Amino acid sequence: MTALPEPTRGEFPWEIPDHLLSIEEYAALGETDSGFTELVEGRLMMSPSPRPDHGLAMLELAHQIRPFVPEGFKTVAEADIDLELAPAGGPGFSRRPGLLIVSKAELARRRREGGILRASGILLVVEIVSPGSKRTDYTTKHDEYADAGIPFYWILDLDEPVSLVACHQAGELGYQDAPAATGIFRTAEPFPAEIDLTALLD
């Protein structure tokens, strides 16, 4: 791949790739001036910056969940994940969930080796549904995260009433989805927790 020029504000920040990108090539791109990117089977996907309510809900959820997170794990916001669905050098898959529960061992590996976080070190991902992302979050990412072996996936929908669908690995079936919860969400997996969904936008 040819060298990537420095970003120019107000313009697309990179040369358009002329081939499907590997995870290593994707990680080398860096950040955009606005919005964010994901990688789907080697194809670069651009998304606009989330709404303010998205950020508000993410921070409040992180605040509520942090006391329940077990030793050995950390809460991380909006970080790229290598879904590890492609061989090294092949067209890669990377997603950027709103919130992650990631092992300290994986964070240490990332600091030591560089690159991006790997799905094998993730316990839980949370996607916050945005306008235009409903099908992606409920269907496409649902399947990708299951295929990546991430044990738990929560889908947080901010449309009134605020709801949360908790999904967990169920063997060859992929994820099994619980009914959408509203009000107070209580769970025993992946760790005992209680989340006040009504407070996420207060």
Side-chain angles (χ1 to χ4, degrees), residues 95-171:
R95 291 296 189 178
R96 192 181 182 112
L99 207 66
L100 309 82
I101 305 298
V102 57
S103 72
K104 290 181 180 178
E106 174 59 13
L107 290 170
R109 183 208 62 79
R110 161 68 179 78
R111 295 187 192 105
R112 187 173 61 250
E113 299 177 6
I116 61 178
L117 296 172
R118 294 174 181 165
S120 52
I122 308 297
L123 177 63
L124 165 70
V125 292
V126 183
E127 289 286 2
I128 301 175
V129 178
S130 300
S133 77
K134 191 175 289 283
R135 178 175 175 79
T136 300
D137 293 334
Y138 279 97
T139 303
T140 307
K141 291 184 179 180
H142 182 279
D143 292 345
E144 289 178 358
Y145 290 148
D147 290 345
I150 296 173
F152 296 89
Y153 173 38
W154 293 354
I155 306 169
L156 180 63
D157 197 323
L158 301 182
D159 286 346
E160 291 293 340
V162 175
S163 62
L164 189 151
V165 174
C167 316
H168 69 272
Q169 287 282 4

